[in-house]
Amino acid sequence: MGFCSRLGNSAINAQTKESLEQKLWKAANKLRKNIDAVEYKHIVLGLVFLKYISDSFEQLRYQIVAEKHSGRLKCVSEPSKGTEFLIELPVLQKVLAAQLECL
């Protein structure tokens, strides 16, 4: 559940949104510093492309692990402990099934 859904829509009014937008633009301008807008465009487009590739890879990984191999993807994240990604594949089942077919 996102931050906005926990607060409810009535808690975030137009003035707060405008203030947040101004702060975000101010922060972005500080990060951009003296880079010309034409050069900055290439950086932003590169990041958008990276996001697209990342999402495509995530979808393909899910199809391979979950749909093709009946596996599971699991992500465990704890503050100050890090993040752990687990991929579980039922390899033993296929080995046992192959052994049973030989009998």
Side-chain angles (χ1 to χ4, degrees), residues 45-95:
L45 289 176
L47 291 173
V48 170
F49 179 71
L50 181 62
K51 174 70 173 140
Y52 170 76
I53 294 297
S54 176
D55 291 347
S56 299
F57 176 76
E58 180 68 29
Q59 183 181 15
L60 183 60
R61 183 180 72 170
Y62 177 80
Q63 288 175 346
I64 291 170
V65 172
E67 295 173 7
K68 187 174 181 180
H69 297 289
S70 302
R72 291 184 347 167
L73 297 170
K74 189 175 179 182
C75 175
V76 179
S77 181
E78 294 182 33
S80 74
K81 288 189 177 181
T83 303
E84 183 178 16
F85 295 96
L86 302 168
I87 299 175
E88 297 175 353
L89 297 174
V91 176
L92 189 57
Q93 281 183 334
K94 291 183 179 183
V95 171

